[in-house]
């Protein structure tokens, strides 16, 4: 497979076929003590394949005694994906999972019929202060699997395949791309790649699946005359050739997948193909009908009014 060309970057197959569909600017959101840059959902693009929520966390720096404290909160009918460039977060959930996540690793939590989890800075890192920097995604589930039993899986950095060539370093986090296959178990066709480009490197984006996007974590990337800089997401037309180049180097997240089988509704932390299912989840959380998180039973995020 030729994935590291030497030709000029291309971003238009013909005058009638533009390759770049949308350029999304990240929007700042305060999550209580730290800021995220939110890319999905956006007004122009609700989803890229099954990816329906994309947050870039940090980089954030915490002083002594401080840290992330995302109190227990519920999810339904989706999977959450956490990946860090820097720092550490302690995940706990209502299944009894207790798992620190560190740079290069993947936490994949399938909410299915319902799960509760919390995310906090571990006590040891609060003593002298710490930094955190990473990406959090939500992945919608096919209708037939929306109500599967909840589950949690952790994958170490050593579990995830890597490829290096021509000034590009790729780590395949989820799915299949560039001749690699991730061990992360999913319920739909997709890919999710951490790509680091050295100055002058060129990279072809996979033509499949049909919906694809590139998020610029740092640096700048070019696609023909188009440019994407830090905090921007480039969303491309289906199945057309996309060749990326970076004159000064860049850190990118590549993602794509086939469209879900219908629209998804999002309210707070709930996602579903059914608005009635979301209403039922709202009532259940307000009434205390979700399970507790062992080891983190006292606090919780109340239902927004």
């Amino acid at each position: 497979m030729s994935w590291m060309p030497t030709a000029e970057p291309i971003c238009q197959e013909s005058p009638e076929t533009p390759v770049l569909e949308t350029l999304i600017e990240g929007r700042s959101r305060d999550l209580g003590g730290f800021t995220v840059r939110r890319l999905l959902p956006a007004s122009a693009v609700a989803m890229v394949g099954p990816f329906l929520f994309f947050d870039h966390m940090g980089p954030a720096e915490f002083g002594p005694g401080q840290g992330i404290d995302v109190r227990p909160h519920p999810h339904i009918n989706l999977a959450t994906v956490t990946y860090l460039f820097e720092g550490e977060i302690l995940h706990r959930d209502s299944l009894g999972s207790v798992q620190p996540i560190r740079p290069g690793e993947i936490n994949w939590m399938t909410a299915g019929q319902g799960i509760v989890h919390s995310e906090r800075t571990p006590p040891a890192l609060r003593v002298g202060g710490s930094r955190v920097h990473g990406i959090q995604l939500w992945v919608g589930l096919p209708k037939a699997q929306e109500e599967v039993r909840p589950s949690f899986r952790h994958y170490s950095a050593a579990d995830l395949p890597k490829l290096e060539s021509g000034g590009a370093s790729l780590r395949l986090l989820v799915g299949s791309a560039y001749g690699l296959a991730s061990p992360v178990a999913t319920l739909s066709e997709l890919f999710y790649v951490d790509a680091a480009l050295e100055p002058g490197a060129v990279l072809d984006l996979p033509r499949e699946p049909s919906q694809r996007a590139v998020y610029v974590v740092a640096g700048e990337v070019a696609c023909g005359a188009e440019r994407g800089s830090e905090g921007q997401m480039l969303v491309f037309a289906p199945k057309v050739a996309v060749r990326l180049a970076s004159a000064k180097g860049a850190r990118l997240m590549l993602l794509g997948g086939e469209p879900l089988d219908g629209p998804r509704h999002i309210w707070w932390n709930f996602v579903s193909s059914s608005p009635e299912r979301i209403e039922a989840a709202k009532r259940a959380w307000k009434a205390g009908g979700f399970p507790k998180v062992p080891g983190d039973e006292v606090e919780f995020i109340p239902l927004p009014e």
Side-chain angles (χ1 to χ4, degrees):
M1 174 181 294
S2 175
W3 64 279
M4 190 54 60
T6 57
E8 287 297 311
I10 53 176
C11 207
Q12 189 163 341
E13 292 197 328
S14 72
E16 296 77 28
T17 310
V19 171
L20 184 66
E21 284 194 339
T22 307
L23 183 67
I24 301 173
E25 295 281 353
R27 296 148 289 146
S28 180
R29 294 287 186 272
D30 186 348
L31 295 189
F34 72 105
T35 300
V36 300
R37 186 181 283 152
R38 183 155 299 164
L39 282 299
L40 295 176
S43 58
V45 178
M47 296 182 283
V48 175
F51 297 98
L52 46 77
F53 184 92
F54 188 113
D55 267 2
H56 180 185
M57 303 182 294
E61 187 159 352
F62 299 102
Q66 299 179 330
I68 291 176
D69 279 304
V70 180
R71 296 166 291 162
H73 58 282
H75 292 289
I76 60 165
N77 294 184
L78 58 77
T80 67
V81 190
T82 304
Y83 182 72
L84 297 183
F85 305 119
E86 187 177 4
E88 182 177 329
I89 296 174
L90 182 63
H91 164 96
R92 293 180 184 268
D93 63 43
S94 51
L95 302 175
S97 310
V98 181
Q99 178 64 59
I101 183 170
R102 301 181 178 95
E105 303 175 343
I106 283 283
N107 274 4
W108 181 284
M109 185 182 75
T110 301
Q113 59 194 231
I115 199 168
V116 181
H117 75 133
S118 65
E119 298 163 296
R120 299 183 186 267
T121 299
L125 292 183
R126 296 175 187 262
V127 176
S130 64
R131 287 171 55 87
V132 70
H133 185 201
I135 304 290
Q136 288 198 315
L137 307 176
W138 292 356
V139 177
L141 305 181
K143 290 179 181 178
Q145 282 82 41
E146 282 188 313
E147 297 292 336
V148 297
R149 294 181 63 182
S151 62
F152 174 82
R153 292 288 301 275
H154 173 81
Y155 301 84
S156 71
D159 292 333
L160 306 174
K162 297 199 302 184
L163 185 62
E164 297 188 15
S165 180
S169 298
L170 307 182
R171 171 177 278 148
L172 180 67
L173 307 180
V174 181
S176 300
Y178 300 108
L180 305 175
S182 168
V184 177
T186 69
L187 295 172
S188 57
E189 181 184 355
L190 53 82
F191 68 82
Y192 183 36
V193 179
D194 178 4
L197 304 187
E198 295 179 0
V202 182
L203 175 67
D204 281 339
L205 196 65
R207 283 206 182 208
E208 300 281 352
S210 60
Q211 295 187 345
R212 303 160 298 160
V214 171
Y215 175 65
V216 185
V217 178
E220 185 177 86
V221 68
C223 184
E226 304 289 351
R227 296 289 185 273
S229 56
E230 181 176 330
Q232 294 180 324
M233 177 177 285
L234 298 90
V235 182
F236 298 100
K239 300 183 180 181
V240 296
V242 174
R243 184 165 295 160
L244 305 168
S246 181
K248 297 182 179 180
R251 186 75 175 268
L252 310 172
M253 305 305 290
L254 320 178
L255 61 151
E258 294 302 331
L260 285 171
D261 49 357
R264 293 300 185 268
H265 305 276
I266 302 178
W267 189 89
W268 189 45
N269 295 311
F270 300 134
V271 169
S272 181
S273 61
S274 165
E276 293 77 17
R277 179 67 180 91
I278 291 178
E279 291 301 315
K282 290 162 64 174
R283 292 192 296 270
W285 182 247
K286 191 170 185 178
F290 278 80
K292 299 286 188 180
V293 176
D296 203 346
E297 301 97 335
V298 177
E299 295 185 307
F300 65 93
I301 300 177
L303 189 76
E305 296 295 342

